Amino acid sequence: MDLGLFVEETSLYNRIVLGSLLPGAAWDPLPHFFQTWLRNYIAGCLLYLVTGFLWCFYIYHLYRNVFLPKDAIPSRRAMQLQICVAMKAMPWYTLLPTVSEYMIENGWTRCFPSISDIGWVAYLMNVAVYLVIVEFGIYWMHRELHDIKPLYKYLHATHHIYNKENTLSPFAGLAFHPLDGVLQALPHVISLFLVPMHFRTHIILLFMEGIWTANIHDCINGKLWPVMGAAYHTIHHTTYRHNYGHYTIWMDWMFGTLRPPADDETKEK
């Protein structure tokens, strides 16, 4: 495999992002690794802020009181604090994809540069296996962040101060202790050593985490089974002991920690 193809691709992404937003003198002299980190940092900040603001505008202003009752809408102060927590952690969050790209460029993983290298059937099967590993890994990482008391106290508790509907917002999706956020995204990188994975797809899926975490913190019940949507994740924030899963309910169902929204609705009645 020509590892230079990976370097060419990451260099292209660096030129697109950094070249569009910064003068060349500010980033061109930097070593390739730091260019990649700067690109990931800028892209991560833009993804988080733009997605969060558009999402909040849509559900809290454009369709105010349609998706959520008035008393479930978080205050501006709460959202500002969530943004501050997330932005302080963002340099560390974006170090993870930078390190993963470094390992890929050096041939340490099972990544491949082009889908044509293995064909579409194998590509789709590999993506499916990759996502199962990610789902399993994030479930157990998240669960252990609750079960191991020092990890909860010093890391995950930062996120769980948002424990009611009126304290949760799309901006809470990345409001973690930096190490907590990195640990929960780590299965994406571990998967690269276990299953052949298309490089660009890996990068896209890793950054899609930012959009997904915004979605599951908006408190809106989408009811799209078996997706682990916001209604499930809101229960996680109120009970602390259920619905650790990420994209789907399957891991919680398999390991006995699933609590469907219908259970809470029945109890309220």
Side-chain angles (χ1 to χ4, degrees):
M1 184 187 300
D2 184 1
L3 297 178
L5 294 175
F6 293 125
V7 178
E8 288 178 13
E9 189 166 347
T10 54
S11 297
L12 173 62
Y13 299 153
N14 292 346
R15 289 194 300 272
I16 291 172
V17 175
L18 300 179
S20 300
L21 300 172
L22 299 173
W27 62 272
D28 197 48
L30 295 174
H32 179 73
F33 180 89
F34 290 103
Q35 288 185 15
T36 301
W37 172 82
L38 184 59
R39 176 251 295 171
N40 285 330
Y41 174 71
I42 292 173
C45 289
L46 289 174
L47 182 68
Y48 172 71
L49 293 172
V50 172
T51 300
F53 278 115
L54 290 176
W55 213 298
C56 289
F57 176 76
Y58 183 79
I59 62 178
Y60 299 148
H61 296 281
L62 197 60
Y63 286 93
R64 188 176 181 85
N65 301 332
V66 174
F67 296 112
L68 296 169
K70 186 176 181 180
D71 59 0
I73 297 176
S75 67
R76 289 185 180 180
R77 175 64 177 166
M79 290 188 281
Q80 287 169 356
L81 289 173
Q82 291 163 9
I83 292 171
C84 287
V85 172
M87 294 308 293
K88 288 178 182 177
M90 192 64 72
W92 303 101
Y93 293 163
T94 51
L95 186 60
L96 183 65
T98 306
V99 170
S100 78
E101 290 181 48
Y102 177 82
M103 292 189 295
I104 291 166
E105 291 169 350
N106 283 276
W108 301 351
T109 71
R110 302 186 67 185
C111 261
F112 54 90
S114 175
I115 295 174
S116 62
D117 292 339
I118 63 170
W120 277 97
V121 173
Y123 164 75
L124 293 173
M125 291 177 63
N126 288 341
V127 170
V129 174
Y130 173 95
L131 289 173
V132 170
I133 295 171
V134 167
E135 187 77 16
F136 179 86
I138 291 178
Y139 171 86
W140 279 106
M141 188 68 75
H142 190 185
R143 185 167 174 175
E144 293 309 306
L145 282 162
H146 279 263
D147 291 346
I148 300 174
K149 291 183 179 180
L151 291 181
Y152 183 84
K153 180 179 179 180
Y154 295 109
L155 298 182
H156 201 52
T158 299
H159 184 64
H160 270 277
I161 62 173
Y162 316 115
N163 56 9
K164 298 177 182 177
E165 280 193 350
N166 62 359
T167 63
L168 286 165
S169 82
F171 289 117
L174 291 181
F176 291 92
H177 183 285
L179 184 55
D180 183 356
V182 169
L183 286 173
Q184 292 201 60
L186 194 59
H188 277 279
V189 178
I190 294 173
S191 299
L192 299 179
F193 296 91
L194 303 176
V195 59
M197 187 60 182
H198 180 229
F199 174 51
R200 191 177 309 160
T201 303
H202 161 69
I203 297 299
I204 291 171
L205 288 173
L206 195 50
F207 273 87
M208 283 293 291
E209 291 288 334
I211 297 175
W212 181 249
T213 55
N215 171 65
I216 62 175
H217 288 88
D218 65 12
C219 297
I220 298 173
N221 189 358
K223 296 182 180 179
L224 185 62
W225 186 91
V227 174
M228 178 66 75
Y232 285 95
H233 197 73
T234 301
I235 291 173
H236 171 74
H237 275 264
T238 57
T239 70
Y240 295 77
R241 307 302 301 174
H242 302 90
N243 303 351
Y244 300 103
H246 194 52
Y247 292 119
T248 72
I249 66 170
W250 295 118
M251 295 300 160
D252 284 283
W253 177 77
M254 287 173 61
F255 297 110
T257 53
L258 181 65
R259 183 167 175 173
D263 291 353
D264 273 29
E265 291 170 5
T266 302
K267 289 181 180 180
E268 288 175 4
K269 294 176 183 178

